[in-house]
Amino acid sequence: MSDKTVVPVGVRLSTDIEYRPNRSAPYRARVRWFDPVSKRRMSLSEGKHDEDQARQWLRAIIEAAEAGLSRSSPP
């Protein structure tokens, strides 16, 4: 069974990138939203090697949410 997080269409997303030194992938990209069904705050995050990769990951999540797709780990 795969663990997929669905980012609902039409919800407001907040994003951030945090630099965490002394990590193998020091840039943590994170997207958060409130699930309209459960009313819980949901989050996806992934570590990246540089800030450009983190921004690309966030862009892929946002585009998937706008298109109505679910992604657990975009390319």
Side-chain angles (χ1 to χ4, degrees), residues 14 17 19 25 27 30 37 43 45-46 50 67 72-73 75:
S14 67
I17 298 173
Y19 178 68
Y27 291 89
R30 179 173 58 190
V37 176
S43 175
S45 67
E46 192 166 304
D50 62 49
S72 61
S73 184

Side-chain angles (χ1 to χ4, degrees), residues 21-47:
N22 303 322
R23 304 253 181 157
S24 61
Y27 291 89
R28 181 179 69 172
R30 179 173 58 190
V31 60
R32 293 178 170 178
W33 68 95
F34 282 97
D35 185 282
V37 176
S38 69
K39 308 295 187 211
R40 295 178 57 193
R41 188 170 194 179
M42 306 297 287
S43 175
L44 284 176
S45 67
E46 192 166 304

